Amino acid sequence: MKFHFSLKTQLLLVASLMLLLPWAGCQSVSILETSLRQSHSQLLDVQMTAAAEQLQRKLNQSQYSDFNTNQGNYYAPLTDSKMLLDGFDGEESDWDNITTPWFQLNSYDYMPERDESKPPLAEEPPTSAKFKLAANDKLLYIFIQTSALRPHYYNPTQPQRPADQLNIRSINKTGLVSHWQIKPQGSGRVEMNNTSQVTSRNAGSWVWRDGHYTIEIAIPINLASDAIGFDLILNDQQLNQHFKSKPGSTYERSLVRETLDLNQQLATYQQPGLSLYLLNSQYWLIGKLSAEQMWNALDARTETENKSEIEIERKRETNENQVDPSWFSNAIYNKLFTSDSLPYWREPTSLGRWLSPAQLGKTTWYQDSPINKQLHSKTMLVNGQPFYFVAVQDSRQSLLSASKALNQLLILLFTIIAIIVSVLFTFASLLSWRIVKMKQNYRDAIDNDGKIMSVPDASKLPDELGDLSRVMQQLTVNQGKYTDYLASLADKLSHELKTPVAVIRTSLENLELSNLNPEASKYLTRAMQGTNRLSQTLNALSEATKLEQSFEYAQWQIVPFDDMLEELVDAYRQIYSSHQFKLTYDKSHTDKDNYAINLAPELIVQLLDKLISNAVDYAPVDQPVGFTLNKLDNQLQLLVENQGPHFSSDNIPQLFDSMVSNRQQSDTPHLGLGLHIVKLITDFHCGQVNAKNQQGPKGVIFELLLPIGKSSQR
């Protein structure tokens, strides 16, 4: 299978090599990106070292708690909203949007001596209690929830009667211990008493709903900033059950919380795409600044400058437009610079705690589709305990210059490529148009017989195609001269040889009158036959040339073709008495049918003579030569049939060409001009002539189609 590539296609294929330019540019940007990444890692390490030293001094100066890791600690995330202490624990509660862990209160039971006069207690499922915390710069919020139970409220008129109550023990950074006590008198709002200071305050809500307790309260954060403990006492007449942080009279545990001052301290190191985390020795999150929080800090600073919300939104949109490159360069950037060999990034914290401590202490790159992230951490010693300062840098934000460079480079390269390809395509189209035009001009200049119809004008452009056009014009002129010479050669030879042939024939005739011996008479007869063949050959050579010349003087007239054909058939019966001829019409033929047609009668008679001569030469004597005349819509159809041998399928397309003959060698010269003359006369009448084999072992048909009415008279 061969593929044909036009000139435009070839030039486009060559022009496609220019796509190596974007590839080379991307490779350059990739090298630049790698270099920038390494430089940024080094810069981030220097910045992290300086920031870690500052944070370490701040934490040591604040006398941060020396946590008792054996006893564990509680965690309170930072909340920026003021919570409604309504005891509601549904999906729309204030706690629903706070990611804080649940802590379990352990059960420590005390069974007094049972009164035998009272029936024994029925077996009930054990009660459980859990709580979670949240804090802001003023309050510590506490949310306690129990499993199913029966409430026992405090009755001031019967203070000795067992009732449910909550004891809280808190310690601040100065070591001040506060004891808080809540005794609910019913489901709803409650107060708490500070027994160490003999004061009371509104605590929140203690609600019994759906068979369990929901306790939502708050205490001042400055009184519980270091440690806190809970002792939930559930009473009835026979069972006194304590749910405590740990057994003993000092049941508090260290409180770890995310503080606003640490977050503000981290905000001083903020950069685009940089997230910062501060972890204590137990990997609890005590400070955080995410990349998204940068907008919150920007809004806060903007509001202090009394700027409108419209200006804030406009600045945010401007920054977003600066950060995000176009979708195309972004896709190329991600394809080039996001490595599949890197581990996948996952959120490092959950419910306030770092998930993978193994990540700390080293610099690691992660892939977070469609960008990369690097994690870098520093270890600090605060009061003898390790603290961890962690930074997560978004590569697309930190290496924005590489993306911008890639974007500008791709725009420039593809613009250049588009211009060059357009110029090449236009140039190729122009060359292709010139070549196609030249091909069409020279195709129209030469007919199927090789005759020059007209010589095309040569191009005047001084390039290779112009030179080719001028050479082709000269070749066409030379071919025309040579064709004219060959066309007139037969007539010239016939004219020049007729006199010598006549002299030879006259001499042979005179010699024939002499008394020659039998041997000499035999040679004389052969010479006479050769002379006759030579004369017939000269006449055949000039016949086609004379025919074309006779076209100019042909007389056109309207002739009833059926009558003319009947006269010719009668004449053929007399001329070729050894053969049979048969004329038939189509089935719908009547005497009133009009077969009149505009034609040159002498030429049509000559055409039919050639067809009959060809048929008689091949048709068997016992089989008739058939004529069938049909009238079509706007044509007359004449079929000439004979039972001669079939044409070779390879020779049918060339039957009507000049100097083509299928005859076997014979004494009569045949130059293959008979059917060629038929084709010339048919074309002169704007008709068609075809030849085909009949069905069966032998038989051929010649079909002649002539237009009726207004023929193309020349």
Side-chain angles (χ1 to χ4, degrees):
M1 181 177 180
K2 294 184 178 180
F3 295 95
H4 176 71
F5 293 102
S6 64
L7 184 61
K8 290 186 287 186
T9 303
Q10 296 178 33
L11 285 178
L12 286 177
L13 291 175
V14 174
S16 64
L17 295 176
M18 288 187 297
L19 293 176
L20 293 174
L21 293 177
W23 176 83
C26 292
Q27 294 300 315
S28 301
V29 175
S30 178
I31 296 174
L32 173 62
E33 194 270 348
T34 302
S35 176
L36 288 175
R37 180 187 296 179
Q38 295 175 352
S39 300
H40 180 75
S41 296
Q42 297 174 358
L43 177 61
L44 184 61
D45 180 73
V46 173
Q47 294 174 343
M48 289 283 291
T49 300
E53 293 177 356
Q54 296 178 3
L55 288 174
Q56 183 174 355
R57 288 195 299 269
K58 179 175 179 62
L59 292 175
N60 283 320
Q61 292 172 359
S62 64
Q63 299 297 320
Y64 216 85
S65 301
D66 186 6
F67 301 118
N68 186 350
T69 58
N70 294 327
Q71 295 294 333
N73 44 56
Y74 298 135
Y75 178 73
L78 183 65
T79 176
D80 55 357
S81 61
K82 185 176 181 181
M83 304 179 69
L84 181 62
L85 304 178
D86 55 359
F88 180 67
D89 59 350
E91 294 182 355
E92 298 181 359
S93 67
D94 296 331
W95 295 88
D96 190 50
N97 296 323
I98 300 176
T99 56
T100 179
W102 284 99
F103 296 98
Q104 198 72 29
L105 287 175
N106 297 321
S107 176
Y108 302 97
D109 296 337
Y110 169 73
M111 182 71 69
E113 294 183 2
R114 186 166 62 87
D115 189 350
E116 297 296 338
S117 62
K118 295 181 180 180
L121 292 172
E123 292 187 2
E124 295 180 356
T127 304
S128 62
K130 60 181 180 180
F131 71 97
K132 54 185 177 181
L133 305 173
N136 56 26
D137 57 340
K138 295 181 179 181
L139 296 174
L140 175 66
Y141 296 98
I142 305 168
F143 188 84
I144 302 175
Q145 193 177 77
T146 68
S147 61
L149 51 75
R150 289 179 297 176
H152 299 85
Y153 296 116
Y154 174 72
N155 189 348
T157 61
Q158 298 177 354
Q160 302 301 324
R161 182 180 177 181
D164 302 331
Q165 70 178 47
L166 174 64
N167 297 320
I168 301 175
R169 179 181 168 90
S170 63
I171 305 176
N172 66 3
K173 293 185 179 300
T174 62
L176 176 64
V177 179
S178 300
H179 295 274
W180 309 85
Q181 188 177 79
I182 303 176
K183 293 182 178 181
Q185 300 180 22
S187 179
R189 304 294 295 182
V190 293
E191 291 184 351
M192 63 168 49
N193 297 316
N194 189 343
T195 58
S196 59
Q197 299 179 1
V198 195
T199 59
S200 62
R201 65 188 305 272
N202 184 13
S205 299
W206 186 311
V207 179
W208 186 72
R209 182 188 295 113
D210 298 331
H212 66 275
Y213 278 145
T214 300
I215 306 171
E216 189 174 10
I217 58 177
I219 61 176
I221 190 63
N222 59 348
L223 297 178
S225 57
D226 188 69
I228 193 169
F230 303 95
D231 179 16
L232 177 62
I233 304 173
L234 302 178
N235 291 280
D236 59 21
Q237 295 181 355
Q238 299 184 12
L239 179 63
N240 180 278
Q241 189 174 15
H242 289 255
F243 291 88
K244 303 179 68 174
S245 305
K246 61 182 181 179
S249 58
T250 57
Y251 47 82
E252 70 280 351
R253 294 190 179 187
S254 299
L255 177 63
V256 180
R257 62 189 180 92
E258 183 182 355
T259 59
L260 182 61
D261 59 338
L262 287 179
N263 287 349
Q264 293 174 349
Q265 181 69 20
L266 294 178
T268 60
Y269 311 115
Q270 66 182 10
Q271 297 178 10
L274 180 65
S275 298
L276 298 175
Y277 304 86
L278 186 59
L279 312 175
N280 70 357
S281 59
Q282 297 300 302
Y283 310 110
W284 288 106
L285 189 64
I286 61 176
K288 178 182 179 182
L289 178 67
S290 64
E292 292 77 11
Q293 287 179 305
M294 184 180 69
W295 289 119
N296 296 332
L298 177 63
D299 291 344
R301 290 199 303 267
T302 308
E303 288 176 358
T304 58
E305 297 172 2
N306 296 325
K307 290 188 176 181
S308 65
E309 294 181 357
I310 298 178
E311 293 175 343
I312 297 174
E313 187 66 24
R314 185 184 299 114
K315 188 172 184 180
R316 178 177 297 182
E317 292 177 354
T318 302
N319 195 44
E320 288 177 351
N321 293 333
Q322 292 176 352
V323 170
D324 291 334
S326 66
W327 66 270
F328 181 73
S329 62
N330 190 21
I332 298 297
Y333 181 88
N334 298 332
K335 183 66 176 177
L336 291 176
F337 305 144
T338 301
S339 175
D340 294 335
S341 61
L342 298 177
Y344 286 96
W345 172 260
R346 292 184 297 178
E347 180 60 34
T349 60
S350 177
L351 299 178
R353 201 164 194 178
W354 195 267
L355 295 176
S356 300
Q359 294 175 305
L360 305 177
K362 57 184 178 181
T363 300
T364 308
W365 282 92
Y366 297 87
Q367 58 171 315
D368 183 22
S369 181
I371 58 178
N372 295 337
K373 290 184 177 181
Q374 72 162 318
L375 185 147
H376 193 82
S377 64
K378 292 291 183 180
T379 303
M380 306 176 296
L381 289 178
V382 179
N383 297 326
Q385 297 186 31
F387 277 56
Y388 305 97
F389 183 39
V390 186
V392 177
Q393 177 67 61
D394 185 333
S395 65
R396 183 169 58 183
Q397 301 290 341
S398 60
L399 303 178
L400 182 60
S401 57
S403 178
K404 288 183 176 180
L406 176 64
N407 189 23
Q408 296 174 357
L409 179 63
L410 290 178
I411 293 175
L412 177 62
L413 290 178
F414 280 103
T415 301
I416 294 175
I417 290 175
I419 294 175
I420 295 177
V421 170
S422 300
V423 172
L424 287 178
F425 186 81
T426 304
F427 179 68
S429 300
L430 178 61
L431 292 180
S432 178
W433 175 79
R434 291 176 61 189
I435 294 174
V436 170
K437 183 179 180 181
M438 185 188 304
K439 178 185 70 174
Q440 189 64 38
N441 289 339
Y442 284 99
R443 176 180 291 174
D444 297 338
I446 304 175
D447 64 5
N448 295 331
D449 296 330
K451 294 182 179 180
I452 305 300
M453 307 301 296
S454 63
V455 179
D457 296 332
S459 174
K460 298 181 180 180
L461 296 177
D463 56 4
E464 288 79 358
L465 286 180
D467 294 340
L468 178 61
S469 175
R470 288 185 285 273
V471 170
M472 291 294 295
Q473 184 191 45
Q474 187 61 41
L475 290 176
T476 304
V477 172
N478 294 338
Q479 182 181 357
K481 293 179 180 179
Y482 186 68
T483 302
D484 294 340
Y485 169 75
L486 292 178
S488 63
L489 180 62
D491 188 56
K492 291 178 180 179
L493 288 175
S494 176
H495 177 74
E496 295 296 332
L497 292 178
K498 278 183 179 180
T499 300
V501 169
V503 172
I504 294 174
R505 178 181 288 115
T506 303
S507 300
L508 292 176
E509 290 175 352
N510 293 330
L511 187 61
E512 188 177 10
L513 298 175
S514 303
N515 294 324
L516 299 176
N517 56 46
E519 186 69 21
S521 297
K522 180 175 65 174
Y523 292 112
L524 179 62
T525 301
R526 291 180 181 176
M528 185 62 70
Q529 292 176 350
T531 302
N532 292 334
R533 292 181 59 187
L534 180 60
S535 179
Q536 292 175 4
T537 301
L538 294 176
N539 292 332
L541 286 174
S542 61
E543 186 175 6
T545 303
K546 292 180 179 179
L547 177 65
E548 293 185 11
Q549 294 175 354
S550 67
F551 287 164
E552 299 179 2
Y553 306 100
Q555 298 295 323
W556 290 77
Q557 57 182 315
I558 299 177
V559 176
F561 194 80
D562 52 344
D563 295 341
M564 185 182 71
L565 186 60
E566 290 178 355
E567 294 177 0
L568 289 174
V569 171
D570 291 339
Y572 294 146
R573 290 192 181 103
Q574 297 177 4
I575 297 172
Y576 304 102
S577 58
S578 61
H579 286 76
Q580 304 177 32
F581 296 90
K582 181 181 179 182
L583 174 61
T584 60
Y585 296 89
D586 55 5
K587 296 180 180 180
S588 60
H589 173 72
T590 63
D591 295 337
K592 296 181 179 180
D593 287 341
N594 184 11
Y595 288 92
I597 183 173
N598 187 22
L599 48 76
E602 296 82 1
L603 296 178
I604 294 298
V605 170
Q606 188 176 0
L607 180 152
L608 293 175
D609 290 344
K610 295 298 182 182
L611 288 179
I612 296 305
S613 175
N614 181 82
V616 167
D617 290 341
Y618 290 98
V621 177
D622 57 344
Q623 297 292 333
V625 176
F627 292 85
T628 303
L629 182 62
N630 298 320
K631 185 176 182 181
L632 304 180
D633 293 337
N634 56 356
Q635 289 179 321
L636 286 182
Q637 180 191 50
L638 177 62
L639 301 178
V640 181
E641 307 178 26
N642 69 81
Q643 296 301 314
H646 282 171
F647 297 124
S648 173
S649 59
D650 297 334
N651 293 333
I652 290 179
Q654 289 84 30
L655 282 176
F656 299 97
D657 292 345
S658 177
M659 309 298 284
V660 175
S661 176
N662 291 328
R663 298 174 183 268
Q664 298 180 353
Q665 189 68 27
S666 65
D667 295 337
T668 304
H670 294 281
L671 301 181
L673 294 175
L675 294 181
H676 179 61
I677 292 175
V678 171
K679 181 69 165 57
L680 292 177
I681 297 175
T682 303
D683 291 343
F684 180 72
H685 285 80
C686 299
Q688 297 180 13
V689 62
N690 303 302
K692 61 183 178 179
N693 294 320
Q694 296 185 18
Q695 299 292 334
K698 59 182 180 178
V700 298
I701 300 176
F702 287 91
E703 179 188 34
L704 176 65
L705 297 173
L706 296 175
I708 299 175
K710 294 183 179 179
S711 178
S712 297
Q713 182 175 347
R714 301 186 183 185

